[in-house]
Amino acid sequence: MNWYITALNKYAEFNGRARRKEYWFFALFNLLFAIVAIILDNVLGIAIREIGYGPLYGIYALATIIPGLAVAVRRLHDIGKSGWMILIAFIPFIGAIWLLILFTTDSDPGENEYGPNPKQFEDIAPIEEQSSNGDLILILVVSWMLFSRTFYTFLPKIIDNFYSLGWFKPLSTLMGLVWSCIPLALGFIVKDKTKQLLVFILGGVYILLELYSLITQFLF
């Protein structure tokens, strides 16, 4: 949560560098809050029927688009890439995979043209703190998997609006596949090798489940 707040505090700061932990924790909490906003829109009956969400999500999305872009640019700076590389996201499918690889790449060692390595002081943390970091990420990964599965599986059965949206089911499955990469990406910032392996296994299983769901959605 601290990393999410850190990114918000650097609201429009496109200079400098952001390590993987800062970017991915922001991405995780940002998505969770966005899902909560969509749920509230529908529960409160203020969602626009044609699109499935309403003003709460719209306000939240507008409020976080700038810090989201800023932390993404700083993440690219952290690996020595220009912030303009974010535009590869517009390349269908390949762009998203390319960006995912870049966003999970470790920081450039030492200082680069965009500033000092943001990890140079934090990585001196004691072993106990590094271990607790792994525990936290494991909890986040499991919580994320349960929460997202609950959202995409049970919400359409609870909220009638989604039944009228023919595009909702395939889109939600596709988005689930994209966002299923988050647990896998979080594994790269776990220092304990055993816990890192566990996060990778959980993330891999989750991606396989989403792939199966996507395949069955379009073939059956």
Side-chain angles (χ1 to χ4, degrees), residues 148-160:
S148 60
R149 276 293 85 205
T150 300
F151 175 75
Y152 286 117
T153 302
F154 296 106
L155 188 64
K157 299 177 182 178
I158 298 172
I159 301 173
D160 291 336

Side-chain angles (χ1 to χ4, degrees), residues 155-173:
L155 188 64
K157 299 177 182 178
I158 298 172
I159 301 173
D160 291 336
N161 282 357
F162 286 110
Y163 275 123
S164 63
L165 305 176
W167 50 263
F168 176 76
K169 192 171 182 180
L171 178 63
S172 66
T173 305

Side-chain angles (χ1 to χ4, degrees), residues 145 149 204-214:
M145 292 170 69
R149 276 293 85 205
V205 169
Y206 189 41
I207 288 177
L208 289 175
L209 289 173
E210 291 294 342
L211 277 172
Y212 173 78
S213 179
L214 184 63

Side-chain angles (χ1 to χ4, degrees), residues 188-201:
F188 287 99
I189 59 179
V190 178
K191 297 184 181 299
D192 185 285
K193 297 302 181 183
T194 302
K195 292 172 182 175
Q196 184 182 57
L197 178 61
L198 185 55
V199 171
F200 282 148
I201 291 173

